[in-house]
């Protein structure tokens, strides 16, 4: 009798347990990505990015920025091959909130990252940074189906930051008098 009762209760119990674990891992990955992006984006705020990300192309800078995010993330939780970076500069916050940065990179059941770019900020620029991770869910049961938003067993995790860069002096320019 106890075995029959256990059989009836075990399946829903373990399904719920695995759903909780799947959701917790997804939220943890999202938090790790947010914190890693915040730490690496500090170089954009302070102007250090001008020397760190000085590649010949925006794609090379985006790749280095992505690699730095992955290096900061603990335990290799973020798959760098599935992380996409978008760094844009705007004249004001209104333009940033209505521009390309406001568009959702998750559309039509897939990721739309083709227009992502890397623009090196100058002092006082409004900068919007987005990191989009194509996250593979571990379970393929009913629990992960509710979490998937870019295909079966996959979820797009989007982390964004908007800030004004510090008034650093761009390389080659002389500091203003009295600075």
């Amino acid at each position: 009798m106890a075995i029959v009762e256990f059989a009836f209760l075990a399946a829903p119990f373990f399904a719920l347990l695995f759903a909780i674990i799947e959701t917790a891992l997804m939220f943890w990955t999202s938090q790790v990505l947010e914190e890693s992006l915040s730490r690496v984006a500090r170089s954009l705020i302070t102007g250090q990015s001008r020397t760190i990300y000085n590649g010949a192309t925006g794609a090379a800078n985006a790749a280095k920025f992505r690699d730095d995010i992955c290096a900061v993330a603990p335990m290799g939780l973020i798959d760098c091959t599935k992380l996409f970076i978008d760094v844009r500069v705007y004249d004001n916050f209104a333009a940033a909130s209505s521009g390309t940065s406001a568009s959702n990179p998750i559309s039509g059941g897939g990721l739309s990252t083709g227009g992502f770019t890397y623009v090196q900020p100058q002092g006082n620029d409004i900068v919007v940074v987005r990191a989009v991770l194509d996250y593979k869910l571990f379970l393929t049961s009913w629990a992960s189906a509710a979490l998937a938003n870019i295909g079966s067993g996959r979820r797009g995790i989007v982390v964004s930051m908007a800030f004004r860069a510090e008034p650093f002096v761009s390389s080659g320019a002389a500091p203003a008098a009295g600075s």
Side-chain angles (χ1 to χ4, degrees):
M1 185 66 168
I3 290 179
V4 173
E5 290 174 1
F6 177 76
F8 281 126
L9 295 176
F13 172 75
F14 285 116
L16 183 61
L17 181 66
F18 289 137
I20 290 169
I21 292 170
E22 177 80 86
T23 305
L25 281 172
M26 184 191 66
F27 280 120
W28 185 31
T29 301
S30 177
Q31 183 61 39
V32 164
L33 180 58
E34 185 174 339
E35 178 62 25
S36 299
L37 178 65
S38 176
R39 290 177 61 188
V40 174
R42 178 81 180 129
S43 68
L44 298 171
I45 296 170
T46 62
Q48 292 173 319
S49 64
R50 313 255 339 131
T51 56
I52 298 171
Y53 310 111
N54 58 0
T57 65
N61 290 334
K64 172 83 169 97
F65 192 83
R66 179 199 64 212
D67 293 344
D68 287 350
I69 290 171
C70 291
V72 171
M75 300 182 344
L77 199 58
I78 298 172
D79 181 359
C80 250
T81 63
K82 297 182 179 179
L83 181 63
F84 305 93
I85 302 299
D86 188 32
V87 178
R88 295 180 185 267
V89 174
Y90 295 92
D91 293 331
N92 55 53
F93 282 106
S97 66
S98 64
T100 307
S101 66
S103 66
N104 189 353
I106 300 171
S107 61
L111 284 180
S112 176
T113 60
F116 278 21
T117 187
Y118 181 99
V119 178
Q120 191 68 260
Q122 304 294 324
N124 284 323
D125 279 348
I126 304 299
V127 184
V128 176
V129 182
R130 292 189 296 174
V132 180
L133 179 64
D134 183 347
Y135 178 73
K136 182 172 179 350
L137 299 165
F138 294 102
L139 303 177
T140 56
S141 66
W142 59 270
S144 64
L147 298 174
N149 64 356
I150 58 169
S152 179
R154 294 176 34 236
R155 178 162 186 95
I157 297 175
V158 181
V159 176
S160 301
M161 296 179 65
F163 51 85
R164 180 181 298 275
E166 291 178 356
F168 56 84
V169 177
S170 298
S171 60
S179 302

